[in-house]
Amino acid sequence: MNDSSIEQLLNLAGGQENIRLVQHEENTTTLTLRNRTGVNMSVHVVSNLDADIRITGDQCYITFEDEFSQLYHTLQAMGVGKAEGDAMKETRRTRKKSLLFFVSDVFRPLMPAILGAAVLKIVLAIITLFNVYSSTDSSSLMDSQTFLIFKSIGDSVYYLLPILVAFSTAFRLKSNVYVAAAIGGLMFYPQMTALLSGEEDVHFMGVPIVSQAIFFSASIWVILTIYAASYLEKVVEQISPRAFKGILAPLLTFLILVPLVLMILGPLGTWIDQQLPDVVDSLLNDAPILAIMLLGAVYSLMMIAGLHYWLLPIIINEIMVNGFSLIIPVMLVAFVAQAGASLATGLRSKQGEFRKLAFWATGTALVGTPEPAMYAVNMRKRASFYSALLGGAAGGLYFGLMSVKAVALGGSGSLLEIPLFMEEGSLNLLHACVGLIISFCVSGVLTYWMIGKERKHV
């Protein structure tokens, strides 16, 4: 909200001195006025402020959508309403918050870095695409150290994402951010990386540990671990002697909590490692249409839990044995569904900053980077996230019915990889485009409709 909008708001409320209380409740900021006759209705008529004015008895309330608390914090910095002492305390209806919303809150501060890296990766992908289909030999550019350094810059944010997620989670929970960063970076430690390289079976205190370091670094496991660590820290700090405050909590976190998480996730990952490939192979062989539809629906969930990495060996085996892959199209249809939901969420939002984020996230999802759309936009509203899953299922169903296949190994799930669907003598490319349109439209229309329906019942 800019200075002009703030000035209009204060004029509407009858001046700063007429505002008795400012409260933020989840997605809205409410001003409680001292004198309802001070409301300047002429400002409300001529301005573009989207405000809801409510009068109950002698009380007058002005409510604005304020999803990112931008208005609330601006008024707080100006000292509006502080005359009432504790009146500026922010209140939240936590009962309405879900795990999805919390995960989105964790990712929201990371978006500038993720979007910046995503745009750089898109530029490099376009350069690579032109290099592949160019009639001139530009391999020297692709092999140059300059290109590799730029590629490393683009990849660095995603490589360090577990640390960034851990830091952001701890910051939100007001726990030790440095302990959290250390936990997030555990799987990058060279000895851990070498141990979990898959060359030998790994056991920790007799418990099998799956050889997939990336599984332990999945965002959801990092967030849940830091949440548990923050709770442990608060409990320990309350009972710790003064001499051990600030030391005992990190010690118990490293000594007990992190090993406990490894002992829980280790067998879970081992079981997935043994079962998931067989289940997917069986479904692809016996019920391919159902398999592709289900994968289209749950692929985003698999990304959140770090399970999608188990699909890579299956994809490679498909390419080697059959000469094509049925799973690569699933990635693309899931990403396009996230893009459709993100676009619809942005169109429904009245917050300028959030709309801008949603539109940028839509673009990055279409070119193979769905994290901004999935984490920062769609997870904020269950309607958006569930609609994206349904859109992936719809597109996956069409792909399964038409046996849409990728004839070469891609892996980024980008619209730039559409040439992978070109198959001589078939309509495979056309069916791929139709399936993507179905996925985008189903997720977008459902999101737009469901968000509108939610608002009518508020």
Side-chain angles (χ1 to χ4, degrees), residues 174-214:
K174 297 180 174 59
S175 63
N176 193 313
V177 293
Y178 304 107
V179 172
I183 295 173
L186 173 64
M187 293 303 159
F188 301 133
Y189 187 63
Q191 285 186 326
M192 284 293 291
T193 303
L195 192 63
L196 298 176
S197 61
E199 296 180 0
E200 59 180 348
D201 293 337
V202 180
H203 290 79
F204 177 69
M205 299 180 68
V207 176
I209 302 293
V210 64
S211 296
Q212 283 275 6
I214 199 69

Side-chain angles (χ1 to χ4, degrees), residues 429-448:
L429 178 60
L430 175 62
H431 288 311
C433 293
V434 172
L436 294 177
I437 293 173
I438 290 174
S439 178
F440 188 87
C441 291
V442 168
S443 63
V445 170
L446 275 177
T447 299
Y448 197 86

